[in-house]
Amino acid sequence: MVYYVMYMDLDAEVITLSPKNLMMTNRFLCEICGKGFQRNHNLQLHKRGHILSWKLKQRTKMEVVRKKVYVCSEPTCVHHDPARALGDLTKIKKHFSQNHGEKKWKCDKFSKKYAVQSDWKAHSKNCGTLFADLLASTSS
């Protein structure tokens, strides 16, 4: 038997985002025109178009950068524990969508549902093959 021990970086900043924020595609909003962006850097570049004073945040040599880790907002999830936190925003968003989000796409043959369209498309390509039939019958 193999046991996996997870070590959390004790200096890491633990972040919990609400389900609403995890499912948002444009988290960074321009306060002038309301346009949304997926990344803060893109918002800063956009603000230049409004002829505002802007400056991307620059770190001084003395400033310590803390690693950020993301925990799932679902209390019953294994990734709710800071020791099992995910290392970046993309991973926590994908985790939440696949495991706790609405499953909009469904396989007509096996009635298996998918939260991510690309996962459903990948399944659909192989659906009906012997290997896919065996996997689907064991996972249902």
Side-chain angles (χ1 to χ4, degrees):
M1 192 182 298
V2 178
Y3 292 97
Y4 293 96
V5 179
M6 302 292 288
Y7 295 100
M8 185 183 131
D9 185 353
L10 297 177
D11 293 330
E13 178 182 357
V14 179
I15 299 170
T16 306
L17 297 172
S18 70
K20 181 182 174 188
N21 283 341
L22 285 169
M23 299 306 284
M24 282 177 67
T25 54
N26 294 326
R27 291 187 34 221
F28 301 97
L29 298 175
C30 177
E31 56 275 2
I32 297 167
C33 66
K35 187 173 180 180
F37 298 89
Q38 292 182 1
R39 293 174 186 81
N40 184 41
H41 177 74
N42 294 349
L43 172 61
Q44 298 302 323
L45 292 174
H46 164 80
K47 284 183 178 180
R48 291 170 66 187
H50 292 299
I51 312 173
L52 295 175
S53 62
W54 70 279
K55 183 178 179 185
L56 294 176
K57 184 180 178 188
Q58 296 177 351
R59 295 187 181 105
T60 64
K61 291 181 181 177
M62 301 300 288
E63 186 179 349
V64 177
V65 180
R66 289 178 64 194
K67 179 181 175 185
K68 293 180 182 179
V69 293
Y70 297 85
V71 294
C72 184
S73 58
E74 291 291 323
T76 57
C77 181
V78 295
H79 294 292
H80 185 69
D81 180 6
R84 301 284 309 268
L86 297 167
D88 62 48
L89 184 60
T90 304
K91 288 179 185 169
I92 193 67
K93 287 180 88 160
K94 185 174 183 179
H95 159 79
F96 191 86
S97 175
Q98 288 178 330
N99 294 284
H100 310 297
E102 179 187 356
K103 298 185 185 316
K104 300 176 189 174
W105 294 276
K106 185 178 103 173
C107 171
D108 295 328
K109 187 172 183 179
F110 296 107
S111 299
K112 183 168 169 58
K113 293 183 177 182
Y114 295 90
V116 180
Q117 187 179 22
S118 60
D119 292 344
W120 170 74
K121 283 183 178 180
H123 167 81
S124 298
K125 283 183 180 179
N126 297 318
C127 186
T129 64
L130 180 61
F131 180 70
D133 290 347
L134 289 172
L135 282 178
S137 64
T138 57
S139 66
S140 297

